[in-house]
Amino acid sequence: MNRDLSPRTKLVLYGVLLVLAVPFVFPTWWMVTSSLKPVADIFAFPPQLLPVNPRPEAYQRVFELQPFGRQYLNSLYIALVVTVGTLGVSALAGYAFARIRFRGQNLLFLVVLGGLLIPSEVTIVPLFQMFFKLGLVNTHWPLILVPIFGAPSVLATFIMRQFFISLPGELEEAARVDGLGRFATFWRIALPLSRPALGAVAIFTFLHSWNLYLEPIVFLSSPEKFTLPQALTQFVDAYGGPMWDVQLAAASMTALPVLVVFVIAQKQFVEGLAHTGLKG
C-alpha cells in the first residue's frame, strides 16, 4: 500500500504523523531538558525548550540524597523476576485453556478473567494482613508474588490463550504422531511459535512492575528497599516541597529502561496483540 502513494502524499502523511507525535514526545523532552536547568529556569516564561546553561548537578544529587543506585537495582531485578514468572505462569495456563478440554473449562476461564474486574485497592488490606502474618512485610516478596499470581498474570493468560487458539492444530497433531507428549509438544512446538505473544506479555508485565506504586508504599518502609516510583516521592526539601530539578533528573533515569524495552520489543508487542482476537 505504501508503494502506491505519491511522494507528495507521503510527505503530507509523515507531516501529519509528526504533528500528532508532538503531544506524546514533548513531555519526555521537557522532563529531560528541565532536569539540566536551574529551578528558576524550569518555571521561566516564556518556556525554554533548551537549557541555556546545562547543569548536570541534579543527577549527582539524586545519588547523594537517596540510595538511588540500590533502589534502581531493586526495581530492575523485581521487574525482571516478575516478567519471567508471569511468562511461565501465563504460557502454561494459556496453553491449558486453549488446548486441554475438561469439564467446566469455560466457566473456570470466566472466573479467572473476573480477577481483572477487582481493583488492587480492594485487595491491598487482606494482602497486607496475609504477608504480615507470614513475616514478609518490608521485603520484596509481596512485589514479586502478587503480580505473578494477580491481575497482570490474568491478562497475560488471556493473551497467551488467544494466541495458542490461533495456532493450527495440525502442528500439534504431527508432533503427537512423532511420539511427543503434551508438555513436550508445548515446549518444542507451541512455545517457540508464541514469541510475538510472549513479547507483548513481557513488555506490559515489565512496565506494570516497573511503575508499581501502591504496593511498595504499603509493604516497604526501609529506603534501601524502596523501588523507583516510591523513591521519586522522597526528593523533597526541609519544608516538604518538591526539589524539581532533582525529581526530574531521577524521573529521566527512571524512564530510560522503559524506553529501551519498548524500542527493542515493539514489533513483538504489536504482532502479539494482533493475534489475540483471531479466534474465540
Side-chain angles (χ1 to χ4, degrees), residues 110-203:
L110 289 176
V111 172
V112 172
L113 289 180
L116 293 174
L117 304 178
I118 303 176
S120 59
E121 294 81 2
V122 174
T123 60
I124 194 67
V125 173
L127 284 174
F128 178 85
Q129 293 177 342
M130 181 183 71
F131 285 113
F132 180 78
K133 292 179 179 179
L134 295 174
L136 297 179
V137 173
N138 201 29
T139 70
H140 292 149
W141 281 111
L143 308 184
I144 294 174
L145 296 177
V146 173
I148 291 178
F149 299 102
S153 186
V154 172
L155 180 59
T157 299
F158 173 77
I159 292 177
M160 296 304 301
R161 172 187 179 270
Q162 296 301 102
F163 189 90
F164 286 132
I165 287 177
S166 70
L167 291 179
E170 292 79 6
L171 296 174
E172 298 182 21
E173 293 176 3
R176 294 194 188 97
V177 171
D178 292 337
L180 293 181
R182 177 72 70 179
F183 183 79
T185 301
F186 163 77
W187 185 257
R188 296 187 181 183
I189 305 298
L191 192 62
L193 293 174
S194 64
R195 290 180 181 177
L198 291 174
V201 170
I203 288 180

Side-chain angles (χ1 to χ4, degrees), residues 14-15 35 44 62 95 105 120 129 133 145 160 199 214 243 278:
Y14 291 146
S35 67
V62 168
Y95 183 79
Q105 177 187 19
S120 59
Q129 293 177 342
K133 292 179 179 179
L145 296 177
M160 296 304 301
L214 176 62
M243 306 170 67
L278 293 182

Side-chain angles (χ1 to χ4, degrees), residues 224-240:
E224 66 273 7
K225 296 181 180 180
F226 285 176
T227 56
L228 290 178
Q230 186 179 10
L232 292 177
T233 65
Q234 305 301 310
F235 294 106
V236 294
D237 57 25
Y239 301 99

